[in-house]
Amino acid sequence: MELKAAANGRRPPSTYASLAPFRDYFRGGLPLLTYHKLGPRPPRVRLKGLYVGEKLFARQLAELRQAGYRSCDFGALALDVTQPQGRIGISFDDGYVNALKYGLGPLAEHGFQALQYIVSDRIGGGNEWDLPAGEAYEPLMDQAQLRDWLAAGHLIGSHTRSHARLPELSPAQAREEIAGSKKKLEDLFGVPVLHFCYPYGFWNERVRDLVIEAGYRTATTTDFGLNDGATSPYELRRITVRYASWGLRALRQRLFG
Ligand SMILES: [Zn+2]
């Protein structure tokens, strides 16, 4: 269904694996790509597609660069999402060690800057919030690794203190997750933390207002789409990057029967 629509040039797939089906679509606004984990996939992983291999990641950046894309200016996002054509945002959720280990090389080679959304109380820990659903444990960057990330010219944003489901919290708890994580990251690393990402994409107007109150300039959702002058900077849309095992098989089947 998705592949058919993409071939007609009307609607791209709901997740990103390569530029080709998105070439025309990306002309409609600013795309923000969402990565999670890079490199080899450990055994017993539930969401396998969220591990993008190092070679595939490098290939994706290479083709974006060859098509003339450059990193968007995250600092300007809140003021104007209608940046010049050919800009793209590369972001990572959660702050995994593997994003540092396998990401820094390809990002440097192809000249892209990336924004990593950090869970401030889990620095040096792991994705405990994923474990009840049966997901595999994956270590998160510690302070020294986050300093390496920043020293390489990349950015950090906040993803709350504990990867919280914000709409379920009291106003005081939600404020602590949103404003408290910003303060902690700024105190630890001495950089402004201007960008926020709603864990699980869960937000409501009350949560959004707390993000604005805390002084963030943007907040990203998990809603699919591009961003333009009509998009609220606190409801930015993103496109998830996935290892397209199923998509490739389906495509081959369509082409070769
Ligand atoms: Zn997350």
Side-chain angles (χ1 to χ4, degrees):
M1 190 80 166
E2 283 166 1
L3 284 166
K4 194 174 175 187
N8 292 341
R10 283 202 297 268
R11 207 167 161 276
S14 58
T15 58
Y16 184 95
S18 70
L19 180 59
F22 288 87
R23 234 173 243 275
D24 292 337
Y25 179 71
F26 277 1
R27 297 205 176 94
L30 177 66
L32 301 176
L33 297 182
T34 302
Y35 288 88
H36 288 79
K37 299 150 183 165
L38 297 180
R41 199 170 62 214
R44 290 187 298 282
V45 164
R46 268 186 74 237
L47 297 174
K48 299 182 173 64
L50 292 185
Y51 284 81
V52 172
E54 186 182 14
K55 279 186 182 148
L56 175 59
F57 181 58
R59 207 156 62 229
Q60 289 172 341
L61 296 185
E63 71 172 355
L64 283 170
R65 185 185 62 168
Q66 280 152 19
Y69 279 93
R70 291 197 295 133
S71 290
C72 72
D73 180 358
F74 279 104
L77 267 183
L79 308 173
D80 181 16
V81 294
T82 58
Q83 301 195 25
Q85 282 288 320
R87 299 300 175 106
I88 192 161
I90 311 279
S91 71
F92 287 85
D93 278 16
D94 304 333
Y96 294 104
V97 172
N98 57 29
L100 175 80
K101 186 174 175 188
Y102 300 105
L104 280 191
L107 286 165
E109 185 185 344
H110 299 292
F112 285 97
Q113 185 185 46
L115 170 63
Q116 183 87 239
Y117 293 109
I118 303 302
V119 183
S120 67
D121 283 0
R122 298 288 178 271
I123 292 171
N127 56 338
E128 281 92 359
W129 65 86
D130 272 341
L131 305 184
E135 189 51 280
Y137 181 86
E138 196 60 67
L140 298 167
M141 283 188 257
D142 62 20
Q143 286 190 39
Q145 289 165 325
L146 278 165
R147 288 203 176 85
D148 290 345
W149 174 260
L150 291 166
H154 301 299
L155 304 164
I156 56 170
S158 167
H159 201 30
T160 72
R161 288 182 59 164
S162 67
H163 208 274
R165 294 166 188 269
L166 292 168
E168 297 172 11
L169 302 183
S170 72
Q173 287 172 318
R175 182 177 285 115
E176 189 46 38
E177 288 281 349
I178 293 165
S181 62
K182 183 177 196 294
K183 184 170 188 325
K184 181 168 180 181
L185 292 172
E186 290 178 341
D187 288 350
L188 278 176
F189 301 107
V191 294
V193 173
L194 303 173
H195 306 287
F196 185 80
C197 174
Y198 305 107
Y200 313 98
F202 293 165
W203 67 279
N204 56 25
E205 285 184 13
R206 183 173 60 87
V207 165
R208 183 201 57 200
D209 289 349
L210 288 171
V211 170
I212 296 170
E213 177 195 287
Y216 291 102
R217 292 165 77 176
T218 74
T220 46
T221 67
T222 48
D223 294 346
F224 176 92
L226 301 173
N227 302 284
D228 60 25
T231 315
S232 162
Y234 297 97
E235 300 168 31
L236 293 176
R237 304 183 192 107
R238 298 193 296 171
I239 298 169
T240 297
V241 183
R242 289 181 73 110
Y243 169 63
S245 55
W246 185 87
L248 281 178
R249 212 175 305 137
L251 182 64
R252 265 190 218 110
Q253 229 158 41
R254 282 189 64 82
L255 293 176
F256 307 114

